[in-house]
């Protein structure tokens, strides 16, 4: 399964970025971690793959041993995310974390789809996606309308932990 998933990822990535250089460092064992280096001109990122974890994409530059910033369990979706990162890099010169718009596009949804799920009008979805400061409950509802759930983490120099959002409604 390891090789098939990586092959599917590389195939999908080649469709999006035919000139990109893709180097695969296969895992030494069946359940081990493989690494995929992707570069296209000045654009560079790394993806790790573990069969029971998925495709881990590194957005921020970090030290050896860092965890991936994003994880995708679907090879095609992971390749599309790399395509988004690549386009964003060529447009802005930097790699940026996932936005609400990119999340919605990766999920194959339109603003109208999300608006219908939230029982609001499409322009309201557009405003939420463009806002720099969104209330947590609004964000949680938006993510839920796209089929996900919001989880938050706190990060200190000497600790990381998930933050329990007890004030949010159970339906969110």
């Amino acid at each position: 399964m390891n090789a098939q998933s990586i092959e599917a990822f590389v195939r999908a990535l080649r469709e999006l970025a035919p000139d990109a250089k893709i180097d695969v460092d296969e895992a030494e064992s069946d359940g081990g971690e493989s690494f995929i280096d992707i570069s296209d001109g000045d654009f560079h990122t790394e993806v790790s793959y573990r069969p029971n974890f998925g495709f881990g994409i590194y957005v921020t530059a970090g030290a050896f041993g860092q965890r991936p910033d994003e994880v995708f369990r679907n090879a095609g979706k992971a390749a599309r995310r790399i395509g988004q990162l690549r386009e964003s890099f060529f447009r802005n010169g930097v790699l940026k974390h996932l936005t609400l718009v990119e999340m919605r596009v990766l999920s194959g949804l339109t603003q109208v789809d999300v608006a219908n799920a939230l029982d609001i009008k499409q322009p309201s979805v557009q405003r939420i996606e463009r806002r720099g400061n969104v209330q947590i409950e609004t964000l949680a509802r938006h993510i839920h309308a796209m089929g996900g759930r919001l989880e938050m983490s706190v990060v200190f120099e000497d600790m990381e932990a998930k933050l329990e959002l007890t004030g949010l409604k159970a339906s969110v």
Side-chain angles (χ1 to χ4, degrees):
M1 185 66 170
N2 191 19
Q4 290 174 327
S5 294
I6 291 172
E7 288 171 13
F9 172 75
V10 169
R11 232 182 356 267
L13 191 55
R14 289 218 184 276
E15 288 179 22
L16 295 167
D19 297 330
K21 183 176 183 223
I22 304 169
D23 292 319
V24 178
D25 184 9
E26 290 276 348
E28 294 179 14
S29 63
D30 282 343
E33 190 169 18
S34 298
F35 292 94
I36 306 154
D37 288 317
I38 303 157
S39 58
D40 189 356
D42 290 336
F43 171 77
H44 177 81
T45 193
E46 183 176 298
V47 175
S48 64
Y49 175 76
R50 286 186 291 165
N52 295 325
F53 185 68
F55 294 90
I57 297 177
Y58 296 85
V59 177
T60 55
F64 179 76
Q66 144 189 347
R67 289 179 296 201
D69 297 294
E70 302 171 5
V71 177
F72 295 85
R73 289 167 186 74
N74 174 286
K77 193 177 272 192
R80 289 192 307 278
R81 177 60 181 141
I82 294 294
Q84 287 178 336
L85 284 169
R86 185 175 159 272
E87 287 175 25
S88 176
F89 178 82
F90 288 140
R91 193 173 38 251
N92 304 315
V94 293
L95 295 178
K96 293 187 176 186
H97 292 282
L98 200 58
T99 66
L100 283 174
V101 172
E102 291 167 331
M103 231 180 287
R104 177 179 49 74
V105 169
L106 283 172
S107 298
L109 300 170
T110 66
Q111 288 181 342
V112 171
D113 294 330
V114 175
N116 289 339
L118 290 169
D119 198 25
I120 61 176
K121 297 199 182 307
Q122 176 272 329
S124 296
V125 171
Q126 185 177 28
R127 278 192 299 277
I128 291 167
E129 289 181 345
R130 289 186 178 181
R131 256 188 229 155
N133 186 3
V134 179
Q135 291 184 348
I136 292 173
E137 188 167 348
T138 301
L139 181 59
R141 289 184 66 234
H142 198 91
I143 299 296
H144 186 262
M146 290 191 287
R149 69 179 181 279
L150 178 64
E151 295 181 352
M152 293 181 73
S153 296
V154 294
V155 180
F156 294 91
E157 187 174 309
D158 61 347
M159 163 189 131
E160 288 184 36
K162 282 192 178 179
L163 180 65
E164 184 65 38
L165 301 172
T166 55
L168 289 181
K169 298 175 185 169
S171 64
V172 176

